[in-house]
């Protein structure tokens, strides 16, 4: 079953209204501090970071400064694993604040968030490839994390950009996709 553009737009509108209503009902704000606490508690890092991303790009995009304002709480029992993810979280905050013109809190500049040994930003794929070294954004590279430049791409923006293309009169699906992809590359890199 193929949905019309009008039906998809209505679905998006209902979703946006629903998520705004949730934020007014006291939905807990899934901050970067919260995400790091989840990592330290043993959750998969991408689960906590994914929840944070949903807040950043979705239900709490109007409260982005609050999502990144509070410093990370260091675990009582620090490990190389928690230290790496702390550095990753600090780099993420700096990166996102730069990209979206949000004031960045000073806590990200603490030397604690500098790794002495290069890391790929992923425990499952530890190799640091030449491409990752060349394309990693500065907030990550300066912390010795080489994760490449596709780290915070998201479905929310891609959808908005396809709608932007349609609003400009672009109707060919390939051209709509090319418009959205070009905008993604300008913001996030190739």
């Amino acid at each position: 079953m193929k949905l019309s553009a009008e039906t998809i737009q209505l679905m998006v509108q209902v979703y946006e209204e629903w998520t705004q209503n949730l934020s007014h009902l006291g939905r807990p704000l899934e901050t970067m501090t919260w995400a790091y606490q989840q990592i330290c508690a043993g959750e998969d890092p991408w689960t906590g970071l994914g929840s944070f991303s949903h807040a950043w790009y979705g239900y709490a995009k109007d409260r982005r400064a609050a999502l990144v304002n509070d410093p990370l709480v260091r675990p009582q029992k620090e490990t190389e694993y928690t230290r790496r993810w702390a550095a990753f979280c600090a780099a993420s905050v700096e990166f996102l604040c730069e990209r979206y013109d949000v004031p960045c809190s000073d806590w990200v500049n603490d030397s604690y968030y500098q790794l002495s040994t290069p890391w790929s930003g992923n425990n499952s794929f530890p190799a640091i490839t030449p491409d990752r070294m060349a394309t990693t954004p500065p907030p990550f590279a300066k912390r010795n994390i080489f994760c490449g430049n596709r780290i915070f791409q998201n479905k929310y923006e891609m959808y908005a950009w396809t709608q932007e293309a349609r609003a400009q009169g672009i109707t060919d699906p390939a051209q709509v996709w090319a418009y959205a992809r070009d905008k993604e590359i300008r913001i996030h890199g190739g």
Side-chain angles (χ1 to χ4, degrees), residues 24-36:
H24 296 296
L25 294 175
R27 177 181 178 156
L29 201 56
E30 294 160 322
T31 65
M32 185 58 82
T33 301
W34 175 87
Y36 182 64

Side-chain angles (χ1 to χ4, degrees), residues 6-149:
E6 293 80 20
T7 301
I8 293 171
Q9 181 62 37
L10 182 60
M11 291 171 67
V12 169
Q13 182 180 349
V14 169
Y15 173 77
E16 288 174 352
E17 289 172 4
W18 177 74
T19 56
Q20 287 175 353
N21 288 338
L22 283 179
S23 67
H24 296 296
L25 294 175
R27 177 181 178 156
L29 201 56
E30 294 160 322
T31 65
M32 185 58 82
T33 301
W34 175 87
Y36 182 64
Q37 289 170 341
Q38 299 301 302
I39 294 167
C40 292
E43 291 292 326
D44 182 285
W46 299 111
T47 301
L49 290 168
S51 294
F52 164 80
S53 292
H54 287 299
W56 183 268
Y57 292 116
Y59 76 86
K61 65 183 172 186
D62 59 332
R63 298 181 284 163
R64 286 179 169 162
L67 291 170
V68 296
N69 190 50
D70 295 332
L72 304 182
V73 177
R74 296 180 189 175
Q76 288 182 349
K77 207 173 186 183
E78 183 182 86
T79 64
E80 180 182 21
Y81 179 85
T82 60
R83 181 79 184 268
R84 283 178 169 176
W85 285 107
F88 188 91
C89 289
S92 298
V93 167
E94 184 178 345
F95 172 79
L96 290 167
C97 287
E98 285 177 0
R99 288 288 188 269
Y100 295 94
D101 200 28
V102 173
C104 191
S105 297
D106 286 336
W107 68 264
V108 302
N109 299 317
D110 188 322
S111 62
Y112 174 78
Y113 302 114
Q114 301 287 339
L115 299 179
S116 58
T117 306
W119 180 50
S120 69
N122 191 324
N123 295 327
S124 300
F125 302 101
I128 299 173
T129 65
D131 178 61
R132 282 188 171 191
M133 289 192 78
T135 61
T136 294
F140 292 91
K142 76 180 186 181
R143 289 176 176 85
N144 230 355
I145 302 168
F146 298 97
C147 54
N149 63 350

Side-chain angles (χ1 to χ4, degrees), residues 114-186:
Q114 301 287 339
L115 299 179
S116 58
T117 306
W119 180 50
S120 69
N122 191 324
N123 295 327
S124 300
F125 302 101
I128 299 173
T129 65
D131 178 61
R132 282 188 171 191
M133 289 192 78
T135 61
T136 294
F140 292 91
K142 76 180 186 181
R143 289 176 176 85
N144 230 355
I145 302 168
F146 298 97
C147 54
N149 63 350
R150 298 181 61 86
I151 198 71
F152 278 101
Q153 293 176 323
N154 68 85
K155 62 184 177 239
Y156 297 97
E157 288 177 327
M158 286 301 284
Y159 177 79
W161 296 331
T162 60
Q163 294 305 305
E164 188 178 295
R166 288 186 177 103
Q168 292 182 16
I170 302 170
T171 57
D172 179 78
Q175 291 177 344
V176 168
W177 174 251
Y179 176 93
R181 180 70 176 120
D182 181 59
K183 194 145 186 183
E184 178 184 44
I185 290 168
R186 281 187 276 131

